[in-house]
Amino acid sequence: GLVNTGNIPFTADTPTGFSTLNIPSIGIYWADVDTRTAGDVTYRVTSDAAFLATLTSDIIATGNYAPAIVDTLNKALVVTWNQVGYYNRHNDKLNTFQLVITTNNQQQT
């Protein structure tokens, strides 16, 4: 599920270091995020054509993509950690970071 610690585990949130995390996860920015005194975590799923066009251009600019997939993007999950603090309620140093996962709704075999 979506958690505010800076990672997205596919089973349960765990406060261990990412290198010792023994569950499937996406580590966006492992920084011991704490939103109790600053920031928030939001998400949205979008099919907005303008957003997907910009996303497609950004992916192509990296030079590391599969054209057949990128050319047919039709949905994206956007998760934003906005001005979040760090563990134990600290808010003197804030971070903003984002994860974007996209799909063309076609299963690869």
Side-chain angles (χ1 to χ4, degrees):
L2 177 61
V3 296
N4 71 355
T5 58
N7 70 321
I8 298 181
F10 293 103
T11 55
D13 183 25
T14 182
T16 185
F18 196 72
S19 64
T20 60
L21 194 61
N22 292 321
I23 58 175
S25 301
I26 297 174
I28 297 89
Y29 181 70
W30 186 268
D32 222 354
V33 170
D34 190 337
T35 58
R36 292 178 290 180
T37 61
D40 57 6
V41 182
T42 58
Y43 74 93
R44 65 186 171 108
V45 175
T46 183
S47 297
D48 179 73
F51 178 82
L52 292 171
T54 300
L55 183 59
T56 298
S57 295
D58 290 349
I59 293 169
I60 290 171
T62 69
N64 186 16
Y65 66 97
I69 295 171
V70 173
D71 291 343
T72 58
L73 298 181
N74 62 8
K75 193 178 296 182
L77 166 68
V78 181
V79 184
T80 304
W81 287 258
N82 186 40
Q83 295 293 295
V84 295
Y86 58 100
Y87 179 69
N88 210 10
R89 300 177 186 255
H90 292 285
N91 60 12
D92 58 317
K93 299 174 186 172
L94 303 177
N95 278 304
T96 297
F97 52 98
Q98 190 171 66
L99 166 73
V100 178
I101 300 175
T102 188
T103 183
N104 64 358
N105 284 343
Q106 296 177 6
Q107 183 175 356
Q108 300 295 309
T109 57

